[in-house]
Amino acid sequence: MGLETGTVTGRVVDTDSLQPIAGATITVGNIVAVTAAIDKGGFVLRNVPVGTRTLTIAAAGWKGYSTKVTVTPDQPADVGTIGLPSSLNR
């Protein structure tokens, strides 16, 4: 029997403008997704091993983000909309 996997979904936006962040890199272990402008900052990570995993988000010009997510085989784990603050000094 193979390793059980699940799906993680969510969306990445700028905390100030609430605009989607294109080009953000989302990782859970060795599974990687990159947001695109056409997807309104949305992402889907497939084949993520079940269990509690660490999800990290990185985007040039924004502060990084990290959170725990519980992945199950029967239902996608939706982390919702995650806002990233700008890393630029204002």
Side-chain angles (χ1 to χ4, degrees):
M1 185 171 141
L3 184 67
E4 283 192 301
T5 62
T7 303
V8 178
T9 61
R11 189 166 172 255
V12 183
V13 299
D14 179 277
T15 41
D16 293 328
S17 68
L18 299 181
Q19 292 300 306
I21 297 176
T25 302
I26 299 91
T27 57
V28 176
N30 62 352
I31 312 291
V32 178
V34 177
T35 59
I38 195 166
D39 296 326
K40 298 188 170 111
F43 64 86
V44 178
L45 292 165
R46 293 184 175 85
N47 300 317
V48 179
V50 297
T52 301
R53 306 287 172 204
T54 300
L55 175 136
T56 57
I57 301 173
W62 284 272
K63 292 186 177 163
Y65 178 86
S66 181
T67 189
K68 296 285 186 193
V69 59
T70 301
V71 181
T72 60
D74 52 351
Q75 186 173 344
D78 184 8
V79 296
T81 300
I82 296 169
L84 298 183
S86 172
S87 64
L88 305 174
N89 292 329
R90 299 190 186 181

